[in-house]
Amino acid sequence: MTKFLSAFTKSIHNFCRDDDGAQVVEYALIIAVVSIALVLALQGLTANGGGFATFITRVTTCLTGTAACV
């Protein structure tokens, strides 16, 4: 019984020291911050005239040179 209790205590101790899940949480937080920054940047780019489709049209127009860039 003492061996079982010692092994059980050791496995509980190892489980408490395990920090593999911390990396997953860190990556999730980084992804969340980048996503929020991307949404805010897109809102800032499209705020002056209509929406994302208008923004893409403006970028396409500027890159193809079919009209003046505004």
Side-chain angles (χ1 to χ4, degrees):
M1 182 74 172
T2 306
K3 284 186 178 182
F4 173 74
L5 188 57
S6 176
F8 182 72
T9 305
K10 186 176 180 179
S11 66
I12 293 293
H13 183 66
N14 287 338
F15 177 75
C16 291
R17 289 189 345 184
D18 189 16
D19 62 351
D20 288 338
Q23 292 176 350
V24 174
V25 172
E26 290 170 0
Y27 285 126
L29 288 173
I30 291 170
I31 290 170
V33 169
V34 169
S35 299
I36 291 169
L38 182 61
V39 167
L40 292 176
L42 287 175
Q43 284 180 346
L45 289 173
T46 62
N48 64 348
F52 190 69
T54 306
F55 171 71
I56 294 297
T57 303
R58 284 183 27 226
V59 170
T60 303
T61 302
C62 288
L63 291 176
T64 58
T66 57
C69 295
V70 178

